[in-house]
Amino acid sequence: MATVDRTRTFMKDVKRVIIKVGTAVVTRHDGRLALGRLGALCEQVKELNALGYEVIIVTSGAVGVGKQRLKYRKLVISSFADLQKPQMELDGKACAAVGQSGLMALYDMLFTQLDVSSSQLLVTDNDFENPNFRERLRETVESLLDLKVVPIFNENDAISTRKAPYEDSSGIFWDNDSLAGLLAIELKADLLVLLSDVDGLYNGPPSEPQSKIIHTYIKEKHHNEITFGDKSRVGRGGMTAKVKAAFVASNSGTPVVITSGFASQSILRVLQGEKIGTLFHKDASLWEPSKDVSAREMAVSARECSRHLQNLSSDERKKILLDIADALEENEDLIKTENEADVAAAQDAGYEKSLIARLTLKPGKIASLAKSICTLAHMEDPINQILKRTEVAEDLVLEKTSCPLGVLLIVFESRPDALVQIASLAIRSGNGLLLKGGKEAMRSNTVLHKVITGAIPSNVGEKLIGLVTSRDEIADLLKLDDVIDLVIPRGSNKLVSQIKASTKIPVLGHADGICHVYIDKSADMNMAKRIVMDAKIDYPAACNAMETLLVHKDLIKAPGLEDLLLSLKTEGVTLYGGPVAQELLCIPKADSFHHEYSSMACTIEFVDDVQSAIDHIHRYGSGHTDCIVTTDDKVAETFLRQVDSAAVFYNASTRFSDGARFGLGAEVGISTGRIHARGPVGVEGLLTTRWIMRGSGQVVNGDKDIAYTHKNLPLQ
C-alpha cells in the first residue's frame, strides 16, 4: 500500500464490496448489451473473489434488454400495414419481465466461464418495509457469500407497485443507485462502488475541458459548485441519483466511490487505493483540504509567467540564465548535500546500480551544468525571429515568426541534472514549465528547483517553473489539454507508453531506444571496434546506446570480428544471437530483436548485405539512432538515404545522438515521432510559429480590389 493516496488508506481493511452496475455501463449506445464491458467486469469480480473479497452486485439493464427483444419480436410478427401505423411505446414492466431472464442468463454464462457461481435476488420497494424480510435477506446473502457465490440484485420492475417510481418521493428506494446505497447499509458493506459512464463527479459538465474531477467530495466545499446534467441516457438514474445514494451510504458509515465502468480494471484500482473516481466518506470534511485545484493552478500560473517572460528583451532573458548559472555554483555544497541524501536513500532501498548512477551528481557536474547554461544564454535569441517575409500585395506584408509553444509538462526519472537542462531550455525558448521528477530524486529536485526559481525576477514570477511533488497530480495534469501544450516524458519505455496512453495532449518522446550498428564488409575493423565498444559500454543505460550489432556475412571468419566480440565479453557485455549468429557463435538465442537491454548486453546477427541491414532496422528498430561502419561511400550513402530513423550516422558512435553534442546547448529529450520535432530536441523543438501581417487598410471583398503579388522579401 506504499503508493496509496492518504484519503484511500482505509481500502486495506475493505472486505465486503457492493458494485452497482448502471444501465449505461451494461449497454451500448444502440441499446444492445455491452458484452466486452460485462466480460471485463466479471473478470474483475473473479479476481476479487480469489483475493478473498466478498462481492455483491447490483445491476441495471433488464428493461433495456427486454426492450431490444420485444422490438425485434414485434417487428417479426408485424405486417407491412402494422408497420405503417404509429408505433406505441413498449410497456416498461413487460420489458423488465422479458429482459431480466436474458440479463441474468448472460451473467450466469460469463461467470460460469470463469468458474464463479452467481445468484439472482429480485426485490421491490415494499419488501423492505417488512423487518422479517430484511432479516431473511441478510441471512441469505451471508450464506451465499460463505459459499463464494456472487449475489446479483436488481429491482423487480416487472411487479413494482409504485405508479410513478421515477418521480415518487415516498418509499425506501427509487432506482438501483438508491437500492445499492440501501443494501450497503443493510448488509454492512465496507465499500460501495457506483460504476458510471464518466470518470467520477466533476465540478462542471465532464465534456468541457475546464471541468475538473472531484477526487474527494466534501459537501461544504463542493455542493454549490456542481452542475448536474441530464439523467442517464437509458436508465432512470444519472449522476444526481448516484450522488444522493453515495451521500446517504457514506453518512451511514459505508465509503462510496463513483468511478468509470468503461475504464480498464477500475474496480481493482479502487481497491488498490489509487486516486481514481470520486470518494464519499463520512470523515472527508475533517481531512486537510485536498490539492484538487493545484494542478490547473500550476499550469495557468506557468502560462501567465511565460507571457511575462516573452515580453522581456533578449538581453533580459539572457541575464536570467546567467543568474541561474551563478546561483547553481553558489549553492553547489547545498545541492551536493541533498543529492547525497537521495543517493544514500536509494542505496538503502536497494535500487539498481544503473539508477543510482543516473541519480548521482558527480564531482564537476554542477560546474558543467552552469557552463552549458551560459552557452545557451549566449546563443542567438530564438524568440520572435522572422523566418520568412512575403509581400502579399502592395503595402501588405506577411511575416512568419518563431514563438514559444506555451506550457510544457516534463516527466522524468532519476536524473536531477535533467531538471536543470530542461528549465534552462524552457527559459531560453520563453515557455512555461511543469516538472515531475522521480521520487528517488525528490530532495535533489527540490533544492535545484528552489535555486533556479530564486534567480527568476519578480516581473516574470517564480511560478514560471512549477515542481509537481505528488504522483497523483500527474493524472490531473495529463487531462489539462486546454492549458498544457506539450508533454515530454524522459525515462523508461514503460513510462513513455503509459503517458502516451493517458492523455490527449501531444506527447514528444520515444518509447524505445533500439539502436543498431551495422558493420559492412568493407569496414575498417579497428574503427568498427572503437565505435561498437563506445556505443555499447560508454553508457549502456542511455537510450542512444547500441542494442543490436549487425554484421555482414562475409566477416563471419574475419579475425577483426573475433577480436571485437572478445573485447565486448571482456568488458562484461553479454551477447545474444539471432537465428544465424546463435548457431555460428554458440551464444544464447535472443528472445526478440525488438528489445532494449539498457544494460551490458546486446544482440548480434549476420546479414547478407546493406539492404538486408536496412530491412532489419526498419522491421525491428525504434527509429532512434542507427549507424553504419564502412569504407565504401556508395554503400554508406545508400544506408544514410534509406534508413528511416531520427538520426543516421556514418562511421560515428550512436552515443553522439545527444542535444549537447549536437550543439543544441542541451536537450529536453529525443523524439522518434515525425511531427514537429525529431531527434534530440533543443530550443528549436520547443518553438512553433505565428503569422504577423502588416497592412494599410486592405480588405478582401471577394478579391475584387486587390492584386496579389506573393513576392519573397529579404529578412530584416
Side-chain angles (χ1 to χ4, degrees), residues 7 21 35 40 105 108 114 121 204 271 328 395 604 664 702:
T7 62
V21 188
L35 298 179
D108 184 63
L114 297 167
L121 295 98
L271 286 164
L328 288 171
D395 293 331
I604 179 171
L664 306 179

Side-chain angles (χ1 to χ4, degrees), residues 537-686:
I537 69 174
D538 180 63
Y539 189 1
C543 61
N544 57 15
M546 181 193 76
E547 302 292 9
T548 300
L549 174 63
L550 300 176
V551 182
H552 194 287
K553 64 180 181 180
D554 290 357
L555 298 176
I556 290 174
K557 304 264 187 208
L561 177 64
E562 185 178 345
D563 180 51
L564 167 59
L565 299 182
L566 179 61
S567 296
L568 285 170
K569 291 178 181 178
T570 302
E571 290 293 334
V573 177
T574 303
L575 300 179
Y576 296 93
V580 179
Q582 176 219 358
E583 186 174 338
L584 291 174
L585 301 177
C586 299
I587 55 178
K589 184 179 180 181
D591 292 333
S592 169
F593 280 126
H594 192 81
H595 181 69
E596 183 177 10
Y597 293 98
S598 299
S599 63
M600 292 287 276
C602 72
T603 300
I604 179 171
E605 183 59 313
F606 294 102
V607 294
D608 292 341
D609 52 26
V610 66
Q611 194 59 54
S612 297
I614 293 168
D615 292 342
H616 181 103
I617 290 169
H618 287 166
R619 183 173 182 182
Y620 300 109
S622 60
H624 192 296
T625 303
D626 299 292
C627 158
I628 182 173
V629 184
T630 183
T631 58
D632 188 326
D633 291 342
K634 186 176 179 181
V635 169
E637 288 305 314
T638 298
F639 188 90
L640 295 174
R641 283 197 313 269
Q642 293 189 25
V643 171
D644 186 17
S645 295
V648 190
F649 296 167
Y650 168 23
N651 290 346
S653 169
T654 57
R655 290 281 292 123
F656 280 107
S657 190
D658 173 84
R661 297 185 180 103
F662 275 17
L664 306 179
E667 69 175 42
V668 293
I670 292 179
S671 170
T672 55
R674 288 168 170 78
I675 297 176
H676 181 63
R678 197 175 187 196
V681 180
V683 171
E684 287 186 6
L686 303 181

Side-chain angles (χ1 to χ4, degrees), residues 452-583:
I452 290 170
T453 55
I456 297 174
S458 58
N459 60 339
V460 173
E462 63 179 17
K463 292 183 179 180
L464 174 73
I465 301 174
L467 183 65
V468 181
T469 56
S470 168
R471 180 181 178 183
D472 297 319
E473 288 178 290
I474 288 295
D476 293 337
L477 287 164
L478 291 175
K479 294 176 182 176
L480 300 180
D481 55 308
D482 61 319
V483 186
I484 297 173
D485 300 287
L486 184 68
V487 181
I488 304 178
R490 290 187 60 166
S492 65
N493 57 0
K494 180 181 178 182
L495 170 73
V496 179
S497 298
Q498 285 177 342
I499 287 178
K500 285 185 174 181
S502 304
T503 186
K504 296 178 182 178
I505 305 169
V507 178
L508 188 152
H510 65 279
D512 297 294
I514 303 172
C515 301
H516 298 75
V517 174
Y518 165 58
I519 304 177
D520 188 52
K521 64 180 179 180
S522 68
D524 177 328
M525 291 306 294
N526 289 326
M527 178 193 293
K529 179 180 175 180
R530 289 198 309 274
I531 289 172
V532 169
M533 296 296 288
D534 182 80
K536 183 67 256 181
I537 69 174
D538 180 63
Y539 189 1
C543 61
N544 57 15
M546 181 193 76
E547 302 292 9
T548 300
L549 174 63
L550 300 176
V551 182
H552 194 287
K553 64 180 181 180
D554 290 357
L555 298 176
I556 290 174
K557 304 264 187 208
L561 177 64
E562 185 178 345
D563 180 51
L564 167 59
L565 299 182
L566 179 61
S567 296
L568 285 170
K569 291 178 181 178
T570 302
E571 290 293 334
V573 177
T574 303
L575 300 179
Y576 296 93
V580 179
Q582 176 219 358
E583 186 174 338

Side-chain angles (χ1 to χ4, degrees), residues 45-121:
V45 172
K46 173 186 170 59
E47 187 166 344
L48 292 174
N49 250 355
L51 292 171
Y53 289 96
E54 297 177 345
V55 183
I56 300 165
I57 294 175
V58 178
T59 186
S60 299
V63 174
V65 174
K67 187 175 292 185
Q68 283 291 325
R69 288 189 171 188
L70 289 177
K71 279 183 177 179
Y72 176 74
R73 179 64 184 165
K74 192 172 182 181
L75 180 64
V76 169
I77 65 174
S78 295
S79 66
F80 181 76
D82 291 334
L83 295 174
Q84 306 309 304
K85 300 174 184 177
Q87 299 297 304
M88 294 182 62
E89 184 67 28
L90 293 169
D91 177 63
K93 294 185 183 300
C95 291
V98 171
Q100 184 63 36
S101 59
L103 180 63
M104 284 307 304
L106 180 60
Y107 272 113
D108 184 63
M109 182 271 290
L110 291 171
F111 277 128
T112 299
Q113 293 296 315
L114 297 167
D115 294 324
V116 174
S117 297
S118 61
S119 59
Q120 176 182 241
L121 295 98

Side-chain angles (χ1 to χ4, degrees), residues 30-42:
D30 60 5
R32 297 184 180 277
L33 285 170
L35 298 179
R37 283 199 293 273
L38 275 176
L41 168 70
C42 292

